[in-house]
Amino acid sequence: MTGTPPPQPATASAYDPTAKALHWLTALLVIGMLGLGLWMVGLPISLQKAKVYSWHKWAGITVLALTLLRIVWRHLRPPPSLPGTLTPLDRRLAPWGHAALYALLLAMPLTGWTMSSAAGIPVVWFGVWQLPDLVGKDEALFKALQTTHHILSRLLIAVVVIHIAAVIRHDVLRRDGVLRRMLPFAR
Ligand code: HEM
Ligand code: HEM
């Protein structure tokens, strides 16, 4: 089929350039979003707070779009098989850790978007395209989703910290080259 990239060779030892670009773009955005989210909730009600909330929302929708694209790309170009030096436990844990990250990368924006709809405030992507409301205005649902978004954000912070700690453990302590698989210019 034209336009479909060939599958990643079975012997590949690194992610393909698109997967790397999507990983690092998402990582930057998510770290920024976590910082922005934690800061903005404490701001006094003002025009600035409304502006920052609106940036947070459209940047979060961008994470959703990138994650959906990434999941499709992952099916077209499966990641390289794990290095043979990994212990059987690491081998079993790695896919679960990555699945948890993907689940949270979808759940955070979806709870945010639904929360915004339940509050009766539409999401305007890049301040230009108004997205459809996912639910009608509903105060009780808004409160429940606000709590869910809050709890999921703490879970995401924990999983990202574990993810980064795991990469450091592999590369600094065990030197098994896991980070090189995802570095932009490493082959
Ligand atoms: C990867 C995506 C996202 C991340 C990492 C993220 C992270 C956060 C964090 C850390 C907070 C502060 C929570 C607290 O301390 O209570 C927050 C609040 C909030 N987020 Fe997100 N968010 C994301 C996506 C979205 C999206 C797509 C929307 C809406 C379209 C959204 C709407 C909100 C709103 C309205 C609040 C403030 C809730 C309140 O005032 O209590 N978020 N977010
Ligand atoms: C918010 C930040 C981050 C998120 C959401 C995130 C998410 C992910 C996800 C979902 C994967 C799995 C990719 C796949 O197989 O489809 C992955 C892999 C990877 N990430 Fe991150 N990541 C983040 C930050 C980082 C940072 C800061 C580092 C470097 C210290 C890093 C290094 C890696 C490496 C090396 C892999 C490949 C692991 C392997 O070879 O199996 N990530 N990341």
Side-chain angles (χ1 to χ4, degrees):
M1 195 167 71
T2 46
T4 305
Q8 184 105 311
T11 52
S13 57
Y15 283 81
D16 74 278
T18 306
K20 290 179 182 179
L22 288 169
H23 174 273
W24 291 111
L25 191 57
T26 308
L28 280 179
L29 266 172
V30 167
I31 291 169
M33 289 290 295
L34 287 168
L36 194 69
L38 294 175
W39 170 68
M40 72 182 193
V41 286
L43 290 175
I45 300 210
S46 60
L47 194 60
Q48 187 206 15
K49 182 165 182 155
K51 248 196 218 161
V52 175
Y53 266 53
S54 147
W55 295 339
H56 177 87
K57 288 179 187 184
W58 64 247
I61 297 295
T62 308
V63 170
L64 177 63
L66 288 174
T67 304
L68 292 173
L69 186 66
R70 199 166 160 194
I71 291 170
V72 171
W73 189 256
R74 199 180 199 278
H75 279 282
L76 297 174
R77 299 287 305 254
S81 45
L82 291 166
T85 47
L86 252 57
T87 64
L89 182 65
D90 286 344
R91 214 164 259 289
R92 242 183 295 149
L93 289 180
W96 284 101
H98 294 166
L101 283 165
Y102 279 117
L104 287 163
L105 290 176
L106 295 174
M108 281 306 296
L110 286 174
T111 51
W113 185 357
T114 318
M115 176 199 342
S116 207
S117 302
I121 306 171
V123 179
V124 188
W125 203 9
F126 295 104
V128 178
W129 296 290
Q130 181 168 330
L131 302 183
D133 286 336
L134 296 182
V135 293
K137 198 169 174 194
D138 181 335
E139 182 66 23
L141 182 63
F142 163 71
K143 287 251 174 309
L145 287 166
Q146 192 181 30
T147 308
T148 312
H149 196 72
H150 171 92
I151 294 171
L152 289 180
S153 72
R154 296 333 189 243
L155 202 60
L156 176 61
I157 292 172
V159 180
V160 167
V161 167
I162 294 171
H163 176 63
I164 296 173
V167 173
I168 293 173
R169 173 175 159 263
H170 279 293
D171 265 76
V172 177
L173 302 179
R174 305 174 71 101
R175 299 187 181 278
D176 51 15
V178 162
L179 182 59
R180 281 195 63 224
R181 292 153 57 85
M182 195 49 105
L183 282 182
F185 304 108
R187 293 171 60 82

